[in-house]
Amino acid sequence: MTAQKVNINDIAKKAGLSITTVSRVLNGKAEQYRIGKKSQEKIKNAARELNYVPNQFAANLRSGRSNTIALIVPSLNNPFFAGIASKINAEIRKYGYITIIGDSDENQEIEKMELLQLMSRNIEGLIIVPCGDQWEHIKQLYDNGLPVICIDRYFENLDIPFVSTDNYDGAYSATKLLIEHGHNKIACIQGVQKSTPNRLRIKGFRDAMNEAGLSDFSITGDDFSIQNGYLETKLLLQQKNRPTAIFSLSNTIAMGCMKAFKEENISIPEDISLITFDDHPYLDYLATPLSCIAQPINDISKIAVKFLFSRLENQEISTKQVLLKPKIKYKESIKRIT
Amino acid sequence: MTAQKVNINDIAKKAGLSITTVSRVLNGKAEQYRIGKKSQEKIKNAARELNYVPNQFAANLRSGRSNTIALIVPSLNNPFFAGIASKINAEIRKYGYITIIGDSDENQEIEKMELLQLMSRNIEGLIIVPCGDQWEHIKQLYDNGLPVICIDRYFENLDIPFVSTDNYDGAYSATKLLIEHGHNKIACIQGVQKSTPNRLRIKGFRDAMNEAGLSDFSITGDDFSIQNGYLETKLLLQQKNRPTAIFSLSNTIAMGCMKAFKEENISIPEDISLITFDDHPYLDYLATPLSCIAQPINDISKIAVKFLFSRLENQEISTKQVLLKPKIKYKESIKRIT
DNA sequence: AATACATGCACAAACGTTTGTGCATGTATT
DNA sequence: AATACATGCACAAACGTTTGTGCATGTATT
């Protein structure tokens, strides 16, 4: 069926040279091994005429290099991670590498399985948004010398490098913003509790509330999903003593909040104020444009990739753990109350 | 640095058997080659204890199979394609295969380059949303026996299989919906003109208008992007004789429309009606929930993957070109005018 | 006791590259 | 004319698997 694939041997024959020479020319090592100009031409022409496509498997098997980086995210369906995947995919391609994207579906067992599969593809590096609080399987790879970098979520007390948003700062500032607008009864709807970003956001939220001497707040929820935001909001709205503002820890959660608001005929910001983590173009066109804590997705992606390739090129890296400041975008979704 | 990798040889030694036997047991061919139960146990135990991870490159080099499917989309940043990528990635993994996702950035040259790179990784199948009207490079792979299926966008007069939305039907119905609401002056903002879905949508739009005896319509634009939607809407709004409704051919374009509306203080549906191709959860929470033509993303993804693996298993496929009916979701964004 | 078949494995080549090394031949230097 | 170095390549092994084949030994059949 498939047309016979052209290999290095066919080129060697056509050019009247050895496969050694062919390999060196095609890999740009002609100068290094002093291959004559004419031979180089012959080989390049032959390769072109025969439509030669190198077999990476063979090359990788021999050289041990796979030119492959793995990226594992908890859910490609979340626009936040889709954005990251898109950016990282593009950045990695600039280095002539390929990205294999894995989706752990917020499930640690799947994460482990995917990692195994990826290892058997001899990945040269790993960018991961770990989906749980287990880190042994990742740490083991790291200790074995695989360049690894966590993004977004990470492990605080390990030496695995990471680059993420300064979640504490973002949550603290957002909460202060609400407080400054007169809110003293705030509900926070969180995502995956064990994840570091979630913990730090909660900490920022608590600290801001405590500093302001406010104790009338709640923290509920357990997933970065629309459903979770929807359910928790429904529950909140049934309370006698409703919060005046909700702090949502992800854009998916915020979407769930809005779904519940709509059903209950609650409008933002008249009836309730809302601010959320994560930015997205559509936020501006909502019934009420949503205030948000915009994470520097592009910078995170770029830094992660850059870090990885520095490691691959054996450059010493000084800073291994990076936190980037988020940007608060203030919009109409926060009401000033007296 | 990296701990010495365990290979099939180490297992053979530990188990006191040959690598042939090890390979057969680990590949589930023990019965076929009559390997004793005890030997099987020994090998499986050894593999487990040594933490064996097979080297896919070596396996693939020898067997010629890569267990890899390629997916190329025009832009992962477009939520429509991100959704497809997510779904396809998950589906393919069920078969034990890996997906390599490529992003052509709506650029045919990049598409060709990516395809070359992918071929050198011996992909066993290709799912592609072709980004332009050139098809030779894809047709060539198809003719060489590579299982290929186009999704969303495709080529009408080629025998390359495809699965897509019935774009004509969707556009026709949407336009009729507008007409039935009394609109007789409709502007259509299109995406990539050469793409088949765009052409068919335009055709559906035209036919519906013509059948209704309406000739006061416009078709502008050239990209499935926010910018394009924004610019074209700005231009439309400057006309003396404004359209009463806009038909947007993608969710990204619709977002651009809304941006322009906002700047010009135009509200939906009082000042202008809007309907768009593509569904998304956030559409419900917009200032005015947006009517849309929802494409069956999940079905498209599933069918494409299923088709590919049927081909890989050499099953004869009868229907090679599939169009799925879209679903019109009617919401408040369309005003009834007398 | 001879034959036939089943059982349980191992040999060795092969996939298509990369790479350390070495060997001619040519040219410059003394 | 002898020596030294540069130029331009080729040999052959190796990466870690898979796979067609064949060969002992055991067991059943006559």
Side-chain angles (χ1 to χ4, degrees):
Chain A
M1 190 84 138
T2 306
Q4 197 58 33
K5 280 246 185 150
V6 175
N7 62 25
I8 216 180
N9 236 302
D10 301 322
I11 299 182
K13 268 183 209 146
K14 179 147 185 170
L17 291 160
S18 76
I19 62 164
T20 303
T21 306
V22 171
S23 170
R24 288 185 167 134
V25 168
L26 295 181
N27 283 309
K29 297 187 179 166
E31 303 311 319
Q32 187 183 343
Y33 288 94
R34 302 179 308 257
I35 312 298
K37 293 284 175 204
K38 281 173 203 162
S39 299
Q40 292 187 37
E41 279 313 304
K42 268 194 248 173
I43 288 170
K44 285 177 186 166
N45 287 335
R48 198 174 314 120
E49 287 167 27
L50 294 174
N51 255 319
Y52 172 66
V53 176
N55 182 327
Q56 291 269 5
F57 289 146
N60 298 337
L61 176 58
R62 172 57 226 237
S63 69
R65 313 196 60 198
S66 65
N67 296 316
T68 304
I69 303 287
L71 167 67
I72 297 188
V73 297
S75 162
L76 266 180
N77 265 324
N78 184 326
F80 176 72
F81 295 125
I84 284 183
S86 169
K87 187 69 184 175
I88 285 184
N89 195 46
E91 286 293 318
I92 285 178
R93 215 167 278 270
K94 287 185 193 163
Y95 290 84
Y97 276 56
I98 282 267
T99 315
I100 299 183
I101 301 177
D103 187 329
S104 63
D105 203 23
E106 293 282 9
N107 181 326
Q108 288 224 314
E109 293 312 310
I110 297 185
E111 181 180 293
K112 285 180 198 171
M113 267 186 43
E114 299 237 323
L115 227 37
L116 263 186
Q117 281 196 36
L118 293 168
M119 287 315 291
S120 79
R121 285 171 189 259
N122 291 2
I123 54 171
E124 292 184 44
L126 170 66
I127 303 180
I128 185 168
V129 181
C131 71
D133 55 353
Q134 288 178 40
W135 45 264
E136 292 83 358
H137 54 300
I138 299 171
K139 173 75 169 156
Q140 187 190 335
L141 297 177
Y142 180 70
D143 288 343
N144 275 345
L146 182 77
V148 176
I149 185 161
C150 291
I151 59 174
D152 186 41
R153 308 187 193 168
Y154 53 97
F155 306 107
E156 281 173 285
N157 299 317
L158 295 185
D159 56 345
I160 299 177
F162 62 77
V163 45
S164 179
T165 303
D166 188 337
N167 287 289
Y168 177 87
D169 181 82
Y172 182 86
S173 307
T175 310
K176 272 204 103 167
L177 186 65
L178 290 175
I179 294 171
E180 285 164 9
H181 279 70
H183 295 274
N184 49 26
K185 194 168 160 40
I186 307 178
C188 175
I189 304 183
Q190 66 183 346
V192 177
Q193 296 182 32
K194 304 176 206 165
S195 71
T196 303
N198 195 82
R199 280 208 315 276
L200 292 175
R201 289 173 194 177
I202 291 297
K203 192 159 182 293
F205 172 65
R206 274 185 198 283
D207 284 2
M209 292 302 275
N210 288 335
E211 279 178 26
L214 300 173
S215 58
D216 197 3
F217 60 85
S218 67
I219 297 167
T220 52
D222 56 5
D223 191 20
F224 289 116
S225 68
I226 298 184
Q227 292 84 345
N228 177 44
Y230 172 72
L231 281 176
E232 294 301 338
T233 307
K234 280 289 225 183
L235 290 177
L236 285 174
L237 294 179
Q238 283 173 10
Q239 296 177 358
K240 277 170 270 173
N241 189 21
R242 279 190 191 169
T244 60
I246 290 184
F247 178 18
S248 146
L249 296 198
S250 82
N251 60 2
T252 41
I253 291 175
M255 212 174 286
C257 296
M258 292 188 294
K259 189 174 173 192
F261 291 161
K262 193 163 195 190
E263 286 185 9
E264 306 281 338
N265 257 317
I266 303 263
S267 58
I268 315 175
E270 292 76 20
D271 305 318
I272 200 162
S273 295
L274 179 60
I275 187 168
T276 184
F277 251 89
D278 305 339
D279 193 11
H280 197 274
Y282 73 79
L283 291 186
D284 275 333
Y285 311 114
L286 296 172
T288 309
L290 225 52
S291 306
C292 68
I293 300 145
Q295 300 194 59
I297 294 191
N298 283 350
D299 288 340
I300 289 178
S301 305
K302 271 193 189 171
I303 291 176
V305 173
K306 205 168 171 187
F307 173 87
L308 223 52
F309 282 97
S310 301
R311 274 275 327 251
L312 284 177
E313 288 155 6
N314 269 323
Q315 295 172 14
E316 270 313 306
I317 319 284
S318 46
T319 54
K320 300 173 73 177
Q321 311 198 324
V322 181
L323 287 184
L324 304 175
K325 292 280 177 209
K327 202 170 145 191
I328 306 260
K329 295 197 175 171
Y330 178 66
K331 297 174 198 163
E332 292 95 314
S333 70
I334 303 178
K335 180 183 175 189
R336 186 172 296 279
I337 53 185
T338 50
Chain B
M1 193 83 138
T2 305
Q4 198 55 34
K5 281 250 187 144
V6 175
N7 62 26
I8 216 179
N9 237 300
D10 302 321
I11 298 182
K13 268 183 208 145
K14 179 146 184 168
L17 292 159
S18 76
I19 62 164
T20 303
T21 306
V22 171
S23 170
R24 289 185 167 137
V25 168
L26 295 181
N27 284 308
K29 297 187 180 166
E31 302 312 319
Q32 187 182 343
Y33 288 95
R34 302 179 308 258
I35 313 296
K37 293 286 174 200
K38 283 173 202 162
S39 299
Q40 291 187 37
E41 280 312 305
K42 271 195 245 172
I43 288 170
K44 285 178 185 166
N45 287 334
R48 200 175 312 121
E49 286 167 27
L50 294 175
N51 253 319
Y52 172 67
V53 176
N55 182 325
Q56 292 268 5
F57 289 147
N60 298 337
L61 174 57
R62 173 57 226 239
S63 70
R65 313 196 61 198
S66 65
N67 296 316
T68 303
I69 302 288
L71 168 67
I72 297 187
V73 296
S75 163
L76 266 181
N77 266 322
N78 184 327
F80 177 71
F81 295 125
I84 284 183
S86 168
K87 186 70 184 172
I88 286 184
N89 195 45
E91 285 293 318
I92 285 178
R93 214 167 280 268
K94 287 185 193 162
Y95 290 85
Y97 275 56
I98 282 268
T99 316
I100 299 183
I101 301 176
D103 187 330
S104 63
D105 204 24
E106 292 283 8
N107 181 327
Q108 288 224 315
E109 293 312 311
I110 296 185
E111 180 180 294
K112 285 180 197 168
M113 268 187 41
E114 300 236 325
L115 228 35
L116 263 186
Q117 281 196 38
L118 292 169
M119 288 315 289
S120 79
R121 286 173 188 258
N122 290 2
I123 53 170
E124 292 184 44
L126 170 67
I127 302 179
I128 185 169
V129 181
C131 71
D133 55 353
Q134 288 177 42
W135 45 264
E136 292 83 358
H137 52 299
I138 300 171
K139 173 77 169 152
Q140 188 189 334
L141 297 178
Y142 180 70
D143 287 343
N144 277 343
L146 182 76
V148 176
I149 184 161
C150 292
I151 58 175
D152 186 42
R153 307 188 193 167
Y154 54 96
F155 306 107
E156 283 173 286
N157 300 317
L158 294 186
D159 55 347
I160 299 177
F162 62 78
V163 44
S164 179
T165 303
D166 188 336
N167 287 288
Y168 177 86
D169 180 82
Y172 182 86
S173 306
T175 309
K176 272 205 105 168
L177 186 66
L178 290 174
I179 295 172
E180 284 163 8
H181 278 71
H183 296 273
N184 49 26
K185 196 168 156 39
I186 306 178
C188 174
I189 305 183
Q190 66 184 346
V192 177
Q193 295 181 34
K194 303 174 204 164
S195 70
T196 303
N198 195 82
R199 279 209 316 275
L200 291 175
R201 291 173 194 177
I202 291 297
K203 191 158 183 291
F205 172 66
R206 274 186 197 283
D207 284 2
M209 292 301 275
N210 288 335
E211 281 179 22
L214 301 173
S215 59
D216 196 2
F217 60 86
S218 68
I219 297 167
T220 53
D222 55 7
D223 192 18
F224 290 115
S225 67
I226 297 183
Q227 293 81 346
N228 177 45
Y230 172 72
L231 281 175
E232 294 300 340
T233 307
K234 281 290 228 182
L235 291 175
L236 285 175
L237 295 179
Q238 284 173 10
Q239 296 177 1
K240 277 170 271 174
N241 188 20
R242 279 191 190 169
T244 60
I246 291 184
F247 179 18
S248 146
L249 296 198
S250 81
N251 61 1
T252 41
I253 290 175
M255 212 175 287
C257 295
M258 291 187 293
K259 189 175 171 188
F261 290 161
K262 191 163 196 190
E263 285 184 10
E264 305 280 340
N265 257 318
I266 302 260
S267 57
I268 314 174
E270 292 75 21
D271 304 320
I272 199 162
S273 294
L274 179 60
I275 187 168
T276 183
F277 250 90
D278 304 338
D279 192 10
H280 198 274
Y282 73 80
L283 291 185
D284 275 332
Y285 311 115
L286 297 173
T288 307
L290 223 55
S291 305
C292 69
I293 300 144
Q295 300 194 57
I297 294 190
N298 284 348
D299 288 340
I300 289 178
S301 304
K302 271 192 188 173
I303 292 176
V305 172
K306 201 167 172 188
F307 173 87
L308 224 52
F309 282 96
S310 301
R311 274 277 326 251
L312 284 178
E313 288 154 7
N314 269 322
Q315 295 173 14
E316 270 313 306
I317 320 283
S318 47
T319 53
K320 299 173 72 175
Q321 311 197 324
V322 181
L323 287 185
L324 304 176
K325 292 281 177 209
K327 200 170 145 191
I328 306 260
K329 295 196 177 174
Y330 176 64
K331 298 176 200 164
E332 292 95 312
S333 69
I334 303 177
K335 181 183 173 187
R336 185 173 296 279
I337 52 187
T338 50

